[in-house]
Amino acid sequence: MLDRLGDRWSVLVVVALGKGAHRFRELQRAVPGISQRMLTVTTRRLVRDGLVRRTVHDTVPPQVEYQLTDLGLGFATMVDGLAAWSREHRPAINEARATFDAADQSPHPAATPTPRT
Amino acid sequence: MLDRLGDRWSVLVVVALGKGAHRFRELQRAVPGISQRMLTVTTRRLVRDGLVRRTVHDTVPPQVEYQLTDLGLGFATMVDGLAAWSREHRPAINEARATFDAADQSPHPAATPTPRT
DNA sequence: CCGTATCCCTTAGGATACTG
DNA sequence: CAGTATCCTAAGGGATACGG
């Protein structure tokens, strides 16, 4: 499944569905920036992997509902763990990036005695 | 960091470094299939994010060592959790895929039975 | 409303060659 | 050994238009 993680949209859709079942349009609004095409592609992939169940209500205006399966729920839980970790450590990462970027943007200052503090 | 997860090579490199420090070439061998270019790109990204520390030993044949920082170690732990989960559930996912694939390949047995081999 | 199919552009990333 | 730079192809993904 590490390859499914490599799929940015899949992760976001799973997170969105973790908050409850959604219809197609709802889901699109719940995942800002996703195009109609990618929503279709992503949902199909998730359904195929057994992480999401797709229910079609054959009403007058077509209505399709997407919800996590037990498997998908487990996956969502794992992803939430990752998300929590990333939130917790984002500051540290941002600091590391800032330090790194500052470092190689001053290639040749007369004296750069490792400016610390 | 969810975007770093979306980076397949980053994950694999972190996992490899989770087993100990490595030199450039060693790392390349430890991550089957990665090209020299992607190894460079990936390691730089990880160093920038503060997940990996890069140590240059200025010996006659250049020698560079990569190792996880504490931050990287925490990340590696999370990823291991994911990997464990995926291993545990791979059978279920494969079954779901097989079922799905079998389902939409026999839509209408009456005519045009989708000549497959 | 819920998709599917087409066009098209941007990017990831492999192969290769060269420097320190 | 450890990269860096260049080239080039394939895949990802947005915009749009059409079918059920």
Side-chain angles (χ1 to χ4, degrees):
Chain A
M1 279 307 289
L2 291 181
D3 49 318
R4 192 53 54 269
L5 267 180
D7 191 348
R8 175 188 168 202
W9 293 127
S10 289
V11 173
L12 295 178
V13 167
V14 166
V15 169
L17 287 178
K19 295 166 187 166
H22 285 294
R23 296 175 51 188
F24 191 83
R25 292 290 192 192
E26 282 178 344
L27 203 46
Q28 186 166 15
R29 280 166 235 279
V31 182
I34 194 172
S35 67
Q36 198 170 26
R37 195 180 90 91
M38 288 319 292
L39 219 209
T40 302
V41 171
T42 303
T43 51
R44 291 203 69 167
R45 245 190 289 216
L46 293 173
V47 168
R48 186 174 111 97
D49 288 349
L51 299 182
V52 168
R53 181 171 26 247
R54 181 174 181 272
T55 311
V56 179
H57 300 284
D58 201 11
T59 59
V60 181
Q63 185 170 344
V64 181
E65 205 169 53
Y66 295 92
Q67 58 190 309
L68 291 180
T69 59
D70 288 347
L71 195 60
L73 201 55
F75 184 72
T77 303
M78 297 302 294
V79 171
D80 279 347
L82 249 319
W85 184 92
S86 74
R87 256 193 303 282
E88 185 182 349
H89 295 282
R90 188 161 37 202
I93 292 170
N94 284 335
E95 189 192 323
R97 285 181 179 170
T99 303
F100 182 92
D101 292 346
D104 72 352
Q105 271 185 12
S106 43
H108 58 88
T112 312
T114 314
R116 178 68 198 110
T117 308
Chain B
M1 279 305 287
L2 291 181
D3 49 318
R4 193 57 46 272
L5 265 180
D7 192 347
R8 175 188 169 203
W9 292 126
S10 291
V11 172
L12 295 178
V13 167
V14 166
V15 168
L17 287 177
K19 295 165 187 166
H22 285 293
R23 295 174 52 186
F24 191 83
R25 292 289 192 193
E26 282 178 344
L27 204 47
Q28 185 166 15
R29 282 166 235 277
V31 182
I34 194 170
S35 66
Q36 197 168 28
R37 197 180 89 90
M38 286 320 290
L39 220 209
T40 303
V41 171
T42 303
T43 51
R44 291 201 71 165
R45 244 189 290 215
L46 292 173
V47 168
R48 185 174 111 97
D49 288 350
L51 299 183
V52 168
R53 180 169 29 247
R54 181 173 181 274
T55 313
V56 179
H57 301 283
D58 203 10
T59 59
V60 181
Q63 184 170 346
V64 181
E65 205 168 54
Y66 294 92
Q67 59 190 309
L68 291 180
T69 60
D70 289 345
L71 195 60
L73 200 55
F75 184 73
T77 302
M78 297 301 294
V79 170
D80 280 347
L82 248 320
W85 186 92
S86 74
R87 258 193 303 283
E88 184 182 349
H89 295 282
R90 186 161 38 201
I93 291 170
N94 284 335
E95 189 193 323
R97 285 181 180 170
T99 303
F100 182 91
D101 292 347
D104 72 353
Q105 271 186 12
S106 47
H108 51 90
T112 325
T114 315
R116 178 67 199 111
T117 316

